[in-house]
Amino acid sequence: MMLFRTQLKQPQSLLKRPLSHWVRHSSNVASLTPVSGLDLSHERLRRAVFYVPCSDERKILKSHTSRADCIMFDLEDGVSFNRKSHARSLVLQALADSPCRERGVRINALASGLGLDDLATIVQSSRLDVVMVPKVESAKDVWDVVRVIEEAKKEVRVIAGIETAKGVVNVREIAEAHPLVDALLFAAEDYCADTCITRTPSRKELYYARAVVATTAHAFKLQAIDMVTMDFRNPRVLEEESQEGAEMGFTGKQVIHPSQVDIVQDCFAPPREAVDRAIRIVSGYRTNSEAGKGAFDLDGKAIDMPVVKWAYRVLRRAELAGINASIGNK
């Protein structure tokens, strides 16, 4: 198994890029003095991952006007079993027509017997950016998906769905299975069904699994996508869950209704006060670095390198979200 793993080649466009890449391509953060050990190459805006049932042509067309960072055409849970073939027949055209910034497909679970056939279909598209693989439980699941992508000579990112107890236990091997893995995603409903957990409004029963997924994602420089808010008609619950997820380290959230998109994307963008503080931190860092100083004082609080790195990340995410994060030259 390990021999097979070493034979998989990482597509060149997805190789880790140095901070100098962003120095060439970013107007504000890029102009700042690089920080040793800081890699922003994995930063990508994927706040709302919006599932669109690929068996419903009306919803596919409506998704063209969505502001979601990622449109995920769904062949799995959003499609009834007797419509699976119909959904698969529509997915290539859906990808071709979508004007969204990131286009993806959620295939069926590999264990269902449908997943690899879904994958063989969608890799024919030149417009496929990412594939979401549900119920990933081992590195082998990732390798099986990557094999198809590599054989098609495509550069497609992979989101690994962590939806079972086994997936949570094996999340580290999943995260480091292959460089094409771009994000870990937590799915609460399947996880609860697998573990016999009883859902409560407090969500405390999900804290461990969510924390494991978010922490592991950051350990391997991946994105972390949080669970769906099933109470989609209650914006208060959606905002509360989204803010909680952002505080836990998730970079985005799954969305199942158009009305959820704006709330989620606002919650997973850096708040203005955080951006303003990050600007002051980085500005202070530059000034003190030029003077040969290390840690410095800002509003009575010590600012050291971990805080400076946090500030750079905030500013990079702000730029991606279209938030003004310019810093004057000193």
Side-chain angles (χ1 to χ4, degrees):
M1 189 62 67
M2 293 303 294
L3 176 62
F4 167 70
R5 182 180 179 184
T6 60
Q7 291 172 338
L8 296 175
K9 295 181 180 180
Q10 181 179 0
Q12 293 299 309
S13 68
L14 293 179
L15 289 171
K16 292 290 184 186
R17 291 172 288 190
L19 190 60
S20 59
H21 170 87
W22 302 113
V23 172
R24 296 192 301 272
H25 291 88
S26 175
S27 59
N28 295 319
V29 175
S31 66
L32 307 177
T33 303
V35 175
S36 177
L38 179 62
D39 178 14
L40 298 179
S41 64
H42 65 288
E43 295 290 341
R44 178 181 292 107
L45 209 61
R46 193 186 278 143
R47 296 165 295 176
V49 177
F50 180 24
Y51 292 120
V52 178
C54 212
S55 58
D56 191 322
E57 295 173 77
R58 180 185 65 84
K59 291 182 179 178
I60 292 173
L61 185 61
K62 190 174 180 180
S63 74
H64 292 179
T65 61
S66 176
R67 295 175 55 216
D69 290 335
C70 177
I71 294 293
M72 190 69 68
F73 295 110
D74 191 13
L75 299 178
E76 196 213 15
D77 287 347
V79 179
S80 63
F81 187 78
N82 63 353
R83 301 277 286 173
K84 296 288 188 183
S85 296
H86 178 64
R88 193 184 291 161
S89 72
L90 296 178
V91 68
L92 292 180
Q93 194 62 49
L95 288 166
D97 294 342
S98 177
C100 299
R101 72 170 79 189
E102 184 178 51
R103 297 161 297 274
V105 176
R106 175 166 69 171
I107 64 174
N108 286 280
L110 301 185
S112 72
L114 300 172
L116 291 180
D117 288 339
D118 291 340
L119 189 59
T121 297
I122 64 177
V123 293
Q124 298 174 41
S125 173
S126 62
R127 301 264 290 167
L128 178 68
D129 298 311
V130 61
V131 57
M132 190 273 170
V133 186
K135 300 178 181 64
V136 176
E137 295 189 329
S138 67
K140 181 182 181 303
D141 290 341
V142 174
W143 299 336
D144 287 345
V145 168
V146 169
R147 184 190 297 112
V148 177
I149 295 172
E150 296 284 352
E151 287 176 352
K153 295 181 170 56
K154 294 298 175 71
E155 298 177 357
V156 178
R157 299 181 286 274
V158 175
I159 298 176
I162 309 301
E163 310 184 24
T164 64
K166 191 174 181 180
V168 171
V169 169
N170 292 333
V171 68
R172 175 170 178 163
E173 72 170 62
I174 293 167
E176 60 180 345
H178 194 275
L180 283 182
V181 176
D182 186 62
L184 300 179
L185 174 149
F186 178 67
E189 305 309 316
D190 285 291
Y191 178 74
C192 288
D194 186 57
T195 57
C196 297
I197 285 176
T198 300
R199 288 294 303 269
T200 69
S202 72
R203 299 175 294 279
K204 63 182 180 181
E205 66 280 356
L206 298 172
Y207 180 82
Y208 172 77
R210 292 169 76 197
V212 166
V213 170
T215 301
T216 305
H218 286 287
F220 293 96
K221 294 182 170 31
L222 310 178
Q223 290 193 339
I225 310 300
D226 202 9
M227 61 192 185
V228 170
T229 297
M230 301 303 291
D231 189 2
F232 65 88
R233 298 191 186 279
N234 191 329
R236 181 190 61 79
V237 172
L238 176 63
E239 184 173 2
E240 183 180 280
E241 274 194 19
S242 298
Q243 289 177 343
E244 179 182 83
E247 290 167 1
M248 292 181 68
F250 285 95
T251 55
K253 187 173 178 68
Q254 300 163 81
V255 167
I256 57 172
H257 193 274
S259 65
Q260 295 181 313
V261 171
D262 286 346
I263 293 175
V264 167
Q265 300 215 144
D266 286 345
C267 288
F268 283 93
R272 185 71 248 179
E273 56 269 24
V275 174
D276 290 342
R277 179 164 176 77
I279 289 173
R280 296 181 65 212
I281 289 170
V282 172
S283 181
Y285 164 72
R286 296 176 70 191
T287 300
N288 283 275
S289 292
E290 290 168 3
K293 299 178 182 179
F296 61 96
D297 175 279
L298 182 65
D299 299 333
K301 295 182 179 180
I303 305 298
D304 58 7
M305 191 52 63
V307 179
V308 173
K309 290 181 178 180
W310 168 86
Y312 270 90
R313 289 191 176 98
V314 168
L315 295 183
R316 178 58 188 156
R317 288 186 60 77
E319 284 189 328
L320 291 171
I323 299 170
N324 181 18
S326 39
I327 300 173
N329 291 321
K330 293 234 178 208

